[in-house]
Amino acid sequence: MKQAMLLLASLMLNACYGDETVRAYGAADKVWTLIELRDTKFAATATLTFLEKGRIAGKAPCNSFNASQDAPYPWFNAGPFASTRMACPELAAENAYFEALSEVTLSEVLGDTLILSNDDGVLLTFKSGG
């Protein structure tokens, strides 16, 4: 009986510290490349990664960034964003990327596709290499 109670306590403790974010539902350990922003092909290059629990990071067209993201799947809430501050010719595309990313409230992983959306529709569509 004592062993069963210890096992149950251990399982409950692990459940409290488990990852319930999109990372744990297929987004982890992949580099997601943005292919569409607001239903339009994204001509610049931007990436998103979920390398550790509660954090996102990536490369926007000009700057690297990171933020917290600890909403349970399928919800998504990223911020505050921290990024480098380099200027480049694709700064408008970068601003559009950050704006859309900050509006995301839902996430969906479908194999090598990551869709980030809100109540108004799909904001960002990403593909991974596998």
Side-chain angles (χ1 to χ4, degrees), residues 4-39:
M5 293 299 285
L6 287 174
L7 178 60
L8 180 59
S10 175
L11 290 173
M12 289 174 63
L13 185 60
N14 285 340
C16 291
Y17 292 103
D19 188 354
E20 291 295 321
T21 68
V22 63
R23 179 186 188 284
Y25 288 84
D29 303 323
K30 296 179 182 179
V31 175
W32 297 94
T33 302
L34 182 63
I35 59 169
E36 286 185 0
L37 185 139
R38 301 184 195 271
D39 296 324

Side-chain angles (χ1 to χ4, degrees), residues 78-93:
F81 289 89
S83 71
T84 55
R85 296 182 179 240
M86 298 184 326
C88 77
E90 295 172 325
L91 202 51

Side-chain angles (χ1 to χ4, degrees), residues 44-121:
T45 301
T47 63
L48 181 63
T49 60
F50 300 83
L51 296 178
E52 66 180 74
K53 178 183 170 188
R55 303 291 306 164
I56 61 171
K59 178 84 172 78
C62 302
N63 292 285
S64 299
F65 70 93
N66 67 71
S68 64
Q69 195 307 108
D70 55 8
Y73 186 78
W75 294 279
F76 191 95
N77 181 23
F81 289 89
S83 71
T84 55
R85 296 182 179 240
M86 298 184 326
C88 77
E90 295 172 325
L91 202 51
E94 176 166 302
N95 289 336
Y97 175 53
F98 283 139
E99 181 180 322
L101 199 55
S102 70
E103 295 174 16
V104 172
T105 57
L106 291 168
S107 60
E108 184 174 10
V109 178
L110 302 166
D112 69 346
T113 303
L114 170 65
I115 299 170
L116 300 179
S117 60
N118 65 19
D119 290 340
D120 294 329

